[in-house]
């Protein structure tokens, strides 16, 4: 089966056992939101114990507090009433393994393309070729805990984020499945 | 228990049953990515049949193809080798129920704040008060299927996205758990 066929077959099975979940309300029942990484190894519903309807989950490369993540968080509280937020980065994040210059270089029209695989960077064929990679801040991570502190602090300082919302900072350990607090981040995200 | 205590207790149980998942590789084993909404009722691992390690999941308010979502998708293919992408919006999305003017107005310092709850908008107390809400494009949705087409098209046209990646467009039905194709979107996202 193709990936598309596999996804649609899995969805058939999910829908067949959907039960009464069709009656869930739009606002998150447990009133919180998680900002975390897109990494394939992370299942926020699993690691944080979420059922459908419980909490907003925002994910991007790195779990970074980008403008778009903050757009989503502000909507989460302002339109849908969440009152507590988690920022969860993780160990062994792909965002630690390159810099803005490296990815801009990989995307340059003049270079062969490559992808980071289990055996390191391997050729994945020619990409579209564009200088646009130089104009993007890829939000790479130089320091795991420091990036959590930075992101919690950025959220805390945003003019549209109320000081009444606590923002907790955690690192998810991909070797153990465990959430490990970054105390300096949680402190920076303390509610007034 | 507080939300924080509940999350940490659920995480203890998850980690206790983590088994051999600590050995998963960083690149997504099944080579694809899903861009979808942060909505609490959506569990992409459930509706698309994902296990830990399978696929990247990017989520924001609306599942929109924001600059940040495209940043994440480009990293997904370029550094981590994904070859197919899904854009999955959903029925009854909160992003259909307001406009840029409405949320900017709600965020104005001069107005009382409100949140959309099961019974409509209700007061949630004074927010931080800022004009910053007027400077943000909140990426609201006026037309469900049209927004999927727009987002797939925006991804397809991006200079850093290779034409070899098919981008599929779907709506998730929150009443049934079913993925419903938006054929015009999938057509717009066809690989060359």
């Amino acid at each position: 089966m193709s990936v598309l066929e596999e996804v649609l077959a899995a969805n058939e099975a999910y829908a067949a056992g959907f039960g009464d979940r069709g009656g869930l309300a739009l606002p998150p029942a447990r009133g919180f939101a998680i900002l975390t990484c897109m990494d394939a190894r992370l299942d926020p519903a699993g690691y944080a114990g979420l059922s459908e309807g419980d909490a907003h989950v925002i994910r991007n490369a790195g779990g970074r507090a980008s403008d778009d993540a903050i757009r989503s968080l502000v909507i989460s509280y302002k339109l849908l009433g969440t009152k507590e937020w988690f920022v969860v980065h993780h160990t062994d994040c792909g965002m630690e393994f390159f810099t803005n210059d490296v990815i801009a270089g990989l995307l340059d029209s003049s270079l062969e393309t490559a992808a980071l695989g289990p055996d390191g960077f391997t050729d994945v064929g020619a990409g579209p070729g564009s200088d646009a990679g130089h104009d993007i801040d890829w939000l790479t991570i130089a320091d795991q805990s420091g990036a959590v502190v930075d992101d919690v602090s950025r959220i805390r300082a945003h003019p549209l984020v109320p000081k009444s919302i606590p923002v907790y900072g955690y690192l998810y350990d991909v070797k153990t499945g465990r959430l490990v607090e970054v105390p300096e981040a949680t402190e920076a995200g303390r509610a007034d």
Side-chain angles (χ1 to χ4, degrees), chain A:
Chain A
M1 279 206 286
S2 69
V3 158
L4 179 57
E5 287 165 342
E6 286 171 359
V7 165
L8 296 179
N11 179 251
E12 281 288 334
Y14 179 74
F18 201 58
D20 59 6
R21 283 175 279 189
L24 290 169
L26 200 166
R30 293 172 61 200
F32 68 99
I34 296 177
L35 168 60
T36 196
C37 185
M38 70 177 180
D39 190 286
R41 295 164 296 179
L42 272 56
D43 177 13
Y47 77 57
L50 309 180
S51 296
E52 287 93 332
D54 278 355
H56 285 144
V57 180
I58 300 155
R59 302 180 67 173
N60 63 33
R64 305 309 310 268
S66 60
D67 288 350
D68 194 54
I70 290 175
R71 172 184 71 87
S72 300
L73 286 167
V74 171
I75 288 168
S76 175
Y77 105 84
K78 192 70 185 184
L79 278 297
L80 295 161
T82 62
K83 294 179 168 61
E84 300 176 69
W85 298 342
F86 293 76
V87 173
V88 182
H89 294 184
H90 64 98
T91 61
D92 193 40
C93 184
M95 304 300 288
E96 299 168 46
F97 302 135
F98 66 99
T99 62
N100 276 343
D101 286 346
V102 165
I103 189 156
L106 284 172
L107 290 161
D108 270 348
S109 44
S110 56
L111 291 178
E112 285 306 296
T113 67
L116 184 64
D119 303 316
F121 280 94
T122 53
D123 182 36
V124 291
S130 168
D131 292 338
H134 292 270
D135 302 329
I136 295 176
D137 183 349
W138 296 93
L139 305 179
T140 61
I141 291 175
D143 171 47
Q144 266 174 12
S145 298
V148 180
V149 176
D150 288 350
D151 283 356
V152 168
S153 301
R154 181 163 200 254
I155 293 167
R156 174 81 301 144
H158 196 280
L160 294 176
V161 171
K163 299 286 181 277
S164 60
I165 293 184
V167 188
Y168 313 117
Y170 279 82
L171 277 173
Y172 173 85
D173 185 332
V174 296
K175 295 290 182 208
T176 65
R178 224 170 263 285
L179 290 172
V180 180
E181 191 180 15
V182 181
E184 193 186 344
T186 297
E187 178 56 29
R190 205 166 41 82
D192 273 355

